């Protein structure tokens, strides 16, 4: 079973979209104050995927050097109803992303 870490910018209730995965949030882990590099180093130990809407992360960090996959949600709004309508592509991206890889899911 894949373990997903939700970045702090995502609605917590989005976890309903991922019943087949273990989901934790950055806040639940107590990592809310960490910068992206520190967050990724901590996350790669216990998680398979970081789900985020932070599009800058891939330009700020060398993601291929981390042992965690990153799924970036590209959307104009992080509203729960909008994100839930994209459940299938989000689940597919989380299921298929490999460590060190970045997958974008565009939601309009």
């Amino acid at each position: 079973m894949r373990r997903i870490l939700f970045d702090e910018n995502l609605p917590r209730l989005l976890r309903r979209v991922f019943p087949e995965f273990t989901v934790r949030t950055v806040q639940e882990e107590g990592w809310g104050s960490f910068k992206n590099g520190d967050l990724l180093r901590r996350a790669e130990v216990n998680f398979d995927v970081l789900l985020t809407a932070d599009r800058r992360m891939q330009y700020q960090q060398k993601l291929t050097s981390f042992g965690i996959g990153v799924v970036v949600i590209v959307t104009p709004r992080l509203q729960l109803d909008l994100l839930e309508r994209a459940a299938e592509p989000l689940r597919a991206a989380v299921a298929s992303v490999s460590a060190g890889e970045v997958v974008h899911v565009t939601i309009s």
Side-chain angles (χ1 to χ4, degrees):
M1 178 183 308
R2 295 209 100 178
R3 296 159 301 166
I4 306 169
L5 179 66
F6 276 20
D7 203 353
E8 58 191 338
N9 54 9
L10 298 179
R12 292 181 186 188
L13 290 178
L14 184 61
R15 69 179 357 134
R16 298 184 297 210
V17 170
F18 302 99
E20 68 274 31
F21 301 107
T22 300
V23 177
R24 298 276 297 168
T25 67
V26 167
Q27 295 90 340
E28 289 169 343
E29 294 296 316
W31 298 340
S33 62
F34 292 109
K35 300 290 184 201
N36 288 338
D38 290 335
L39 176 64
L40 288 163
R41 274 188 284 288
R42 289 174 182 270
E44 71 183 343
V45 175
N46 293 315
F47 295 93
D48 303 300
V49 181
L50 173 67
L51 186 63
T52 185
D54 184 352
R55 292 182 239 173
R56 298 168 304 193
M57 186 180 293
Q58 70 186 50
Y59 304 110
Q60 297 169 344
Q61 303 295 322
K62 186 177 177 187
L63 297 178
T64 56
S65 66
F66 292 97
I68 188 170
V70 178
V71 174
V72 179
I73 299 171
V74 180
T75 183
R77 298 177 319 281
L78 285 174
Q79 292 176 316
L80 182 59
D81 62 329
L82 180 67
L83 298 173
E84 285 178 329
R85 284 183 289 205
E88 198 51 46
L90 287 172
R91 277 196 298 270
V94 164
S96 67
V97 68
S98 299
E101 181 183 20
V102 180
V103 174
H104 293 86
V105 176
T106 302
I107 304 169
S108 50

